[in-house]
Amino acid sequence: MITTVNPATGEELDHYEELDGAGIEARLDRASRAFRSWRTSALPERTRVLTRLGELFTECEEELALLATCEMGKPITQARSEVRKCADLFAYLAEHGPAMLEAEEWSLSDGGRAEGRWLPLGPVLAVMPWNFPYWQVARFLGPTILAGNVGLLKHASLVQGVAARLEELVEAAGAPTGVFQNLCITSRPVAGILGDDRIVAATLTGSEGAGRSVAEEAGKHLKKVVLELGGSDPFIVMPSADLDQAVKDAVTARIQNAGQSCICGKRTIVHADIYGAFAERFVTAMKAIVPADPLDEKTEIGPLSSVSQRDTVLDQVEQAKAEGCTVLFGAEAIDRPGAWMTPGLLTDVEPGSITGSEEIFGPVGQLYRAADRDEALRIANAIPFGLGSAVWTRDPDEQEFFARGIEAGMTTFNAVNGSRIEAPFGGIKRSGHGRELSRFGLHEFMNLKTIIHPGETAQ
Ligand code: NAP
């Protein structure tokens, strides 16, 4: 039995019966049978499902947002934005997806031609996290429907209500039975499912440890895997930045979703010329953030997703102290039922230390001073991750320097780094491999089949 808990109150929300072996087998069989017909479905049939799914997300926005807020604690306004972003993605894919599936053609030296056709691959397993419980799944689900694949979701245990609702919505959007199924399981049966011949590939969004297990298992069975793992993004502020806006966005980057976002500035790196002015405003603004009821429209930060997640962050703060870091303020548990803590800020973090290298998945920032752009880049790259990054500079030369120099899958200038429905998203180093979104994400789980029509001189 999987029990969901409201992290704002500590109260149990619901209980979900875990699938046993026979239940998993039935779903694998259904997925395999569904693929046989869905793989040849006409493109307009798939885009109709996507269009309707987008409409359903819009129609159900309030209900879906409330469910996410109750299960993992994100402020209701942020939950609504997440649901809207999913609706936008499904509508975007319905409109622009067919163009991404157009065949390519090449002329051959023998006078013939080669054609590249994008064909579906089969049933894909998606292991997903709780932090953006709709959006992370949507990035897999939309392309799955468009490609003619079928999907099996193993969602995070914390958000089983969201997982069940997602399956219902896809069915209500008109997808044939078995095209998208929820597997109500913990992580234990995942290895066995990956080894099943009916599963052709897997995608995982989550921590490094989970990524490692899934990649190992997929590797053993020679199955393709896309990994979207953790990060500790730099947020670099250079002297030409709009300081007020940079401070505001540095706070947003660190506290949105209670700091539980894979991207978004976890390490704020400020040029020495503006360090004093920036630090004073940043500290004042961060201190003013008070955790409150996530259902309140004005709340900027609620609880963390679970008590164990909160305790992991507090342990990391203790580790930081042991390494000689300074806790400028906050980063303490709040004594009330649920997963509450105050935002906090660390300084004197040594780049390359445990604290400087680990991802802190909660509202605790790190503030660094850099003498010049070279040092800012060195600090930015002194981590094993390479997911996102944000740089505040209006100098085009500096923009080019950081665009080329930061070891990450993504750099955003003068704004909070975030995924865009139209652009590729993914990481390098230990942040994973592969891409989601755009045609690059769509093609990850497709067979680019080469069809040769030889020319006359070929024989
Ligand atoms: P997590 O503990 O790794 O869980 C993610 C998913 O993996 C859950 O469904 C979890 O199931 C499952 N899982 C855990 N261990 C597993 C194993 N050994 N084998 C198979 N499945 C396993 O991560 P999380 O705490 O939910 O999410 C936070 C992490 O995700 C952070 O590191 C964050 O940076 C990363 N993330 C990355 C992106 C990206 O796009 N790169 C986006 C969002 C989050 P249970 O819940 O049942 O344990």
Side-chain angles (χ1 to χ4, degrees), residues 322-356:
E323 283 195 301
C325 305
T326 304
V327 181
L328 278 188
F329 62 87
E332 288 169 339
I334 301 174
D335 186 18
R336 76 170 85 129
W340 296 90
M341 70 174 288
T342 55
L345 193 60
L346 305 175
T347 55
D348 304 315
V349 181
E350 195 57 45
S353 63
I354 295 173
T355 305

Side-chain angles (χ1 to χ4, degrees), residues 128 130 136 139 154 157 205-207 210 213 228-230 262 359:
M128 289 290 148
W130 42 262
Q136 299 299 348
R139 301 189 326 187
K154 181 268 174 277
S157 298
T205 301
S207 60
S213 323
E228 297 287 355
L229 309 179
C262 52
E359 174 183 42

Side-chain angles (χ1 to χ4, degrees), residues 11-71:
E11 285 162 7
E12 290 187 358
L13 289 167
D14 220 331
H15 307 281
Y16 297 84
E17 193 73 51
E18 268 180 75
L19 288 177
D20 59 10
I24 294 172
E25 168 56 33
R27 277 167 179 72
L28 286 170
D29 180 57
R30 202 175 296 146
S32 169
R33 279 188 285 116
F35 180 61
R36 273 180 232 146
S37 46
W38 186 243
R39 68 183 303 171
T40 55
S41 55
L43 208 41
E45 190 185 341
R46 300 181 203 164
T47 55
R48 252 197 314 276
V49 172
L50 286 169
T51 301
R52 185 64 196 129
L53 192 55
E55 289 166 358
L56 284 171
F57 264 71
T58 304
E59 288 162 23
C60 303
E61 178 183 316
E62 198 55 32
E63 171 229 323
L64 297 178
L66 190 60
L67 180 58
T69 295
C70 291
E71 288 195 330

Side-chain angles (χ1 to χ4, degrees), residues 72 128-133 155-156 158-159 257 260 305 309 361:
M72 51 69 65
M128 289 290 148
W130 42 262
N131 63 338
F132 291 91
H155 215 328
L158 298 188
V159 288
N257 212 27
Q260 304 162 120
S305 60
Q309 178 62 32
F361 217 52

